Amino acid sequence: MSTAYLGPPGSFTHAALGGLDVPNETAVPYPTVRQALDAVRRGAATACVIPWENSVEGSVTESVDTLTAQRDLRIVGETLLRVEFALAVPPSGSLARIRQVLTHPVAHAQCRSWLTDHLPQADIVTATSTAQAAREVATTHLPGRAAIAAPATLRRYGLDIVACGIGDRPDAVTRFVKVARCVTGSTPTGADRTSLVVPLAGQMQQLHTVLGEFARLRVPLTAVLPRPGGVGLGSYSFLVECEGHTDDPRLGAVVDTLARRHCAFVLGSYPRAEPGRPALSP
Protein backbone atom coordinates (compact mmCIF):
# COMPACT_ATOMS: atom_id res chain seq x y z
CA MET A 1 0.00 0.00 0.00
CA SER A 2 1.02 3.59 -0.56
CA THR A 3 1.94 6.42 1.79
CA ALA A 4 0.38 9.80 1.05
CA TYR A 5 2.32 13.02 1.51
CA LEU A 6 1.93 16.74 0.92
CA GLY A 7 3.29 17.13 -2.59
CA PRO A 8 4.08 17.60 -5.34
CA PRO A 9 7.41 15.79 -5.73
CA GLY A 10 10.23 17.96 -4.47
CA SER A 11 8.30 19.39 -1.51
CA PHE A 12 9.90 19.54 1.93
CA THR A 13 7.50 16.78 2.98
CA HIS A 14 8.77 14.66 0.11
CA ALA A 15 12.31 15.15 1.42
CA ALA A 16 11.19 14.08 4.91
CA LEU A 17 9.95 10.67 3.77
CA GLY A 18 13.35 9.04 4.14
CA GLY A 19 13.49 9.98 7.80
CA LEU A 20 10.29 7.98 8.33
CA ASP A 21 11.39 4.93 6.33
CA VAL A 22 8.95 5.59 3.50
CA PRO A 23 10.30 4.28 0.15
CA ASN A 24 9.88 6.71 -2.73
CA GLU A 25 8.26 4.04 -4.86
CA THR A 26 5.34 3.72 -2.41
CA ALA A 27 4.87 7.49 -1.84
CA VAL A 28 1.95 9.27 -3.51
CA PRO A 29 1.73 13.10 -3.51
CA TYR A 30 -1.48 14.95 -2.63
CA PRO A 31 -2.04 18.69 -3.15
CA THR A 32 -3.24 19.49 0.39
CA VAL A 33 -2.84 18.21 3.94
CA ARG A 34 -6.56 17.45 4.09
CA GLN A 35 -6.44 15.31 0.97
CA ALA A 36 -3.42 13.40 2.26
CA LEU A 37 -5.20 12.64 5.55
CA ASP A 38 -8.44 11.76 3.74
CA ALA A 39 -6.52 9.24 1.63
CA VAL A 40 -5.71 7.37 4.84
CA ARG A 41 -9.25 7.72 6.16
CA ARG A 42 -10.82 6.16 3.06
CA GLY A 43 -8.21 3.42 2.76
CA ALA A 44 -6.41 4.70 -0.36
CA ALA A 45 -3.17 4.92 1.67
CA THR A 46 -1.95 3.13 4.77
CA ALA A 47 -0.32 6.26 6.19
CA CYS A 48 0.54 9.86 5.33
CA VAL A 49 3.31 12.32 6.13
CA ILE A 50 2.50 15.96 6.85
CA PRO A 51 4.35 18.99 8.26
CA TRP A 52 3.63 19.52 11.96
CA GLU A 53 5.86 22.17 13.52
CA ASN A 54 8.50 24.68 12.49
CA SER A 55 11.21 26.03 14.76
CA VAL A 56 10.57 29.59 13.54
CA GLU A 57 6.81 29.81 12.99
CA GLY A 58 5.56 27.18 15.43
CA SER A 59 2.90 24.57 14.72
CA VAL A 60 1.48 24.13 11.22
CA THR A 61 -2.11 24.97 12.11
CA GLU A 62 -3.61 23.42 8.97
CA SER A 63 -2.12 20.06 9.92
CA VAL A 64 -3.06 20.34 13.59
CA ASP A 65 -6.65 21.40 12.93
CA THR A 66 -7.29 18.88 10.14
CA LEU A 67 -5.90 15.94 12.11
CA THR A 68 -7.59 16.79 15.41
CA ALA A 69 -11.01 17.43 13.83
CA GLN A 70 -11.63 13.68 14.02
CA ARG A 71 -10.36 10.96 16.34
CA ASP A 72 -9.76 8.22 13.79
CA LEU A 73 -6.05 8.68 13.02
CA ARG A 74 -2.93 8.50 15.14
CA ILE A 75 0.60 9.89 14.92
CA VAL A 76 3.01 6.96 14.70
CA GLY A 77 6.35 8.66 14.02
CA GLU A 78 8.19 11.92 13.48
CA THR A 79 11.32 13.24 11.81
CA LEU A 80 13.18 16.56 11.61
CA LEU A 81 14.26 18.32 8.44
CA ARG A 82 16.61 21.27 8.16
CA VAL A 83 14.98 23.77 5.77
CA GLU A 84 16.72 26.21 3.44
CA PHE A 85 15.05 28.69 1.11
CA ALA A 86 16.05 30.18 -2.23
CA LEU A 87 14.34 32.38 -4.79
CA ALA A 88 14.16 31.35 -8.45
CA VAL A 89 12.74 32.53 -11.76
CA PRO A 90 12.18 30.94 -15.18
CA PRO A 91 15.26 30.92 -17.44
CA SER A 92 14.17 34.16 -19.09
CA GLY A 93 13.59 36.00 -15.80
CA SER A 94 15.72 38.07 -13.46
CA LEU A 95 15.63 39.40 -9.91
CA ALA A 96 14.99 42.94 -11.12
CA ARG A 97 11.88 41.89 -13.06
CA ILE A 98 10.12 40.02 -10.22
CA ARG A 99 6.65 41.37 -9.48
CA GLN A 100 5.00 38.28 -7.95
CA VAL A 101 6.38 35.60 -5.60
CA LEU A 102 4.69 32.23 -5.08
CA THR A 103 5.34 30.09 -2.00
CA HIS A 104 3.75 28.35 0.97
CA PRO A 105 2.61 30.64 3.83
CA VAL A 106 5.04 29.06 6.31
CA ALA A 107 7.94 29.59 3.89
CA HIS A 108 6.82 33.19 3.30
CA ALA A 109 6.83 33.84 7.03
CA GLN A 110 10.39 32.56 7.30
CA CYS A 111 11.60 34.77 4.42
CA ARG A 112 9.66 37.91 5.30
CA SER A 113 12.65 40.07 6.21
CA TRP A 114 14.54 39.30 3.00
CA LEU A 115 11.45 39.95 0.89
CA THR A 116 10.82 43.25 2.66
CA ASP A 117 14.39 44.37 2.04
CA HIS A 118 14.78 43.19 -1.55
CA LEU A 119 11.30 42.88 -3.09
CA PRO A 120 9.07 45.27 -1.11
CA GLN A 121 6.70 45.85 -4.06
CA ALA A 122 6.23 42.20 -5.02
CA ASP A 123 2.87 40.51 -4.49
CA ILE A 124 3.02 37.31 -2.42
CA VAL A 125 0.81 34.52 -3.77
CA THR A 126 -0.04 31.51 -1.60
CA ALA A 127 0.65 27.99 -2.85
CA THR A 128 -0.26 24.69 -1.19
CA SER A 129 3.44 23.82 -0.93
CA THR A 130 6.79 25.26 -1.95
CA ALA A 131 7.12 22.56 -4.61
CA GLN A 132 3.73 23.49 -6.04
CA ALA A 133 4.90 27.11 -6.23
CA ALA A 134 8.02 26.06 -8.13
CA ARG A 135 6.04 23.87 -10.52
CA GLU A 136 3.50 26.60 -11.23
CA VAL A 137 6.15 29.23 -11.96
CA ALA A 138 7.97 26.76 -14.21
CA THR A 139 4.89 25.74 -16.21
CA THR A 140 2.94 28.99 -16.60
CA HIS A 141 5.83 31.06 -18.06
CA LEU A 142 4.26 34.33 -16.92
CA PRO A 143 6.70 37.26 -16.82
CA GLY A 144 7.73 38.69 -13.47
CA ARG A 145 6.96 35.54 -11.46
CA ALA A 146 9.26 33.81 -8.98
CA ALA A 147 9.06 30.98 -6.46
CA ILE A 148 10.52 30.36 -3.01
CA ALA A 149 11.45 26.76 -2.23
CA ALA A 150 14.43 24.56 -1.41
CA PRO A 151 17.30 25.00 -3.90
CA ALA A 152 17.06 21.38 -5.09
CA THR A 153 13.32 21.76 -5.65
CA LEU A 154 13.76 24.89 -7.73
CA ARG A 155 16.39 23.17 -9.87
CA ARG A 156 14.16 20.11 -10.18
CA TYR A 157 11.57 22.25 -11.97
CA GLY A 158 14.11 23.93 -14.25
CA LEU A 159 14.16 27.35 -12.58
CA ASP A 160 17.15 29.64 -12.24
CA ILE A 161 18.10 30.56 -8.68
CA VAL A 162 18.66 34.30 -8.24
CA ALA A 163 19.07 34.40 -4.44
CA CYS A 164 20.13 31.73 -1.92
CA GLY A 165 19.86 31.56 1.85
CA ILE A 166 16.95 34.00 2.04
CA GLY A 167 15.45 32.54 5.21
CA ASP A 168 15.48 34.76 8.29
CA ARG A 169 16.96 31.89 10.34
CA PRO A 170 19.63 29.68 8.75
CA ASP A 171 19.13 27.02 11.43
CA ALA A 172 15.38 26.54 10.80
CA VAL A 173 14.05 23.01 11.29
CA THR A 174 10.62 21.56 10.52
CA ARG A 175 9.10 18.54 12.25
CA PHE A 176 7.07 16.14 10.13
CA VAL A 177 4.79 13.42 11.46
CA LYS A 178 3.62 10.12 10.03
CA VAL A 179 -0.08 9.44 10.57
CA ALA A 180 -1.96 6.15 10.28
CA ARG A 181 -5.30 4.63 11.21
CA CYS A 182 -6.03 4.00 14.88
CA VAL A 183 -3.58 1.43 16.17
CA THR A 184 -3.62 -0.61 19.33
CA GLY A 185 -0.48 1.09 20.59
CA SER A 186 3.22 1.27 19.92
CA THR A 187 5.97 -0.24 22.01
CA PRO A 188 7.76 2.25 24.27
CA THR A 189 11.34 2.98 23.21
CA GLY A 190 12.49 4.99 26.22
CA ALA A 191 12.68 8.13 24.07
CA ASP A 192 9.09 8.84 23.08
CA ARG A 193 6.73 11.74 22.62
CA THR A 194 2.97 11.78 23.25
CA SER A 195 0.51 14.20 21.65
CA LEU A 196 -2.98 14.65 23.05
CA VAL A 197 -5.91 17.03 22.69
CA VAL A 198 -7.67 18.53 25.70
CA PRO A 199 -10.99 20.21 24.85
CA LEU A 200 -11.68 23.10 27.25
CA ALA A 201 -14.58 24.84 25.49
CA GLY A 202 -16.06 27.20 28.07
CA GLN A 203 -13.66 25.88 30.74
CA MET A 204 -10.54 27.98 30.23
CA GLN A 205 -10.24 28.35 33.98
CA GLN A 206 -9.39 24.62 34.06
CA LEU A 207 -6.16 25.02 32.07
CA HIS A 208 -4.09 25.47 35.21
CA THR A 209 -5.43 22.18 36.61
CA VAL A 210 -4.61 20.41 33.32
CA LEU A 211 -1.03 21.65 33.38
CA GLY A 212 -0.87 20.91 37.08
CA GLU A 213 -1.39 17.20 36.42
CA PHE A 214 1.78 17.09 34.35
CA ALA A 215 3.71 19.03 36.99
CA ARG A 216 2.36 16.90 39.84
CA LEU A 217 3.60 13.67 38.26
CA ARG A 218 6.75 15.26 36.81
CA VAL A 219 5.92 14.62 33.14
CA PRO A 220 7.95 17.08 30.99
CA LEU A 221 5.82 19.16 28.62
CA THR A 222 7.24 20.03 25.18
CA ALA A 223 4.36 22.08 23.72
CA VAL A 224 0.98 23.58 24.65
CA LEU A 225 -0.92 24.97 21.66
CA PRO A 226 -4.36 26.62 21.91
CA ARG A 227 -6.72 26.11 18.97
CA PRO A 228 -10.11 27.83 18.57
CA GLY A 229 -13.06 25.67 19.55
CA GLY A 230 -15.24 27.14 16.81
CA VAL A 231 -18.16 28.06 19.06
CA GLY A 232 -17.29 31.66 19.93
CA LEU A 233 -14.46 33.69 21.36
CA GLY A 234 -12.78 32.20 24.40
CA SER A 235 -13.58 28.61 23.43
CA TYR A 236 -10.40 26.57 22.98
CA SER A 237 -9.00 23.11 22.70
CA PHE A 238 -5.35 22.54 23.53
CA LEU A 239 -2.82 20.38 21.75
CA VAL A 240 -0.51 19.21 24.51
CA GLU A 241 2.74 17.38 23.78
CA CYS A 242 5.03 15.82 26.34
CA GLU A 243 7.92 13.45 26.76
CA GLY A 244 7.08 9.84 27.44
CA HIS A 245 4.73 7.06 26.35
CA THR A 246 1.19 6.36 27.48
CA ASP A 247 2.42 2.97 28.75
CA ASP A 248 4.66 4.82 31.22
CA PRO A 249 2.86 4.71 34.60
CA ARG A 250 3.13 8.43 35.36
CA LEU A 251 2.03 9.64 31.92
CA GLY A 252 -0.64 6.96 31.80
CA ALA A 253 -2.06 8.32 35.04
CA VAL A 254 -2.11 11.88 33.63
CA VAL A 255 -3.88 10.74 30.46
CA ASP A 256 -6.48 8.76 32.43
CA THR A 257 -7.23 11.78 34.63
CA LEU A 258 -7.55 14.20 31.70
CA ALA A 259 -9.70 11.77 29.72
CA ARG A 260 -12.05 11.38 32.69
CA ARG A 261 -12.27 15.06 33.62
CA HIS A 262 -11.95 16.80 30.26
CA CYS A 263 -12.61 14.18 27.54
CA ALA A 264 -9.00 14.42 26.42
CA PHE A 265 -7.90 12.01 23.70
CA VAL A 266 -4.47 10.82 22.61
CA LEU A 267 -3.20 11.54 19.09
CA GLY A 268 -0.34 9.12 19.51
CA SER A 269 2.71 7.96 21.43
CA TYR A 270 5.68 7.53 19.11
CA PRO A 271 9.50 7.57 19.00
CA ARG A 272 10.86 11.09 19.47
CA ALA A 273 13.11 12.40 16.68
CA GLU A 274 16.69 13.10 17.66
CA PRO A 275 16.96 16.93 17.85
CA GLY A 276 20.73 16.98 17.46
CA ARG A 277 20.75 15.45 14.00
CA PRO A 278 17.94 16.74 11.76
CA ALA A 279 17.82 15.41 8.23
CA LEU A 280 19.40 17.42 5.45
CA SER A 281 17.39 19.75 3.24
CA PRO A 282 16.10 18.36 -0.05
Side-chain angles (χ1 to χ4, degrees), residues 17-78:
L17 297 179
L20 289 163
D21 299 321
V22 177
N24 266 318
E25 59 268 23
T26 67
V28 178
Y30 284 81
T32 67
V33 167
R34 181 180 297 278
Q35 286 174 288
L37 289 169
D38 285 346
V40 181
R41 288 185 168 118
R42 69 173 186 272
T46 55
C48 74
V49 177
I50 56 175
W52 192 249
E53 181 185 13
N54 178 266
S55 62
V56 177
E57 286 298 302
S59 296
V60 180
T61 56
E62 178 189 10
S63 296
V64 173
D65 292 346
T66 307
L67 178 59
T68 59
Q70 301 182 42
R71 304 186 183 189
D72 55 342
L73 302 178
R74 294 290 182 269
I75 299 173
V76 297
E78 69 174 18

Side-chain angles (χ1 to χ4, degrees), residues 67-136:
L67 178 59
T68 59
Q70 301 182 42
R71 304 186 183 189
D72 55 342
L73 302 178
R74 294 290 182 269
I75 299 173
V76 297
E78 69 174 18
T79 191
L80 303 177
L81 186 75
R82 188 176 291 113
V83 292
E84 178 186 357
F85 299 103
L87 180 74
V89 296
S92 59
S94 67
L95 180 62
R97 295 172 59 188
I98 294 173
R99 297 293 178 267
Q100 188 180 78
V101 177
L102 280 70
T103 195
H104 188 272
V106 175
H108 171 222
Q110 294 181 70
C111 302
R112 189 177 288 117
S113 294
W114 191 94
L115 290 169
T116 299
D117 291 341
H118 295 86
L119 293 171
Q121 304 304 319
D123 294 327
I124 308 300
V125 177
T126 296
T128 55
S129 71
T130 53
Q132 176 59 32
R135 183 165 70 177
E136 186 170 341

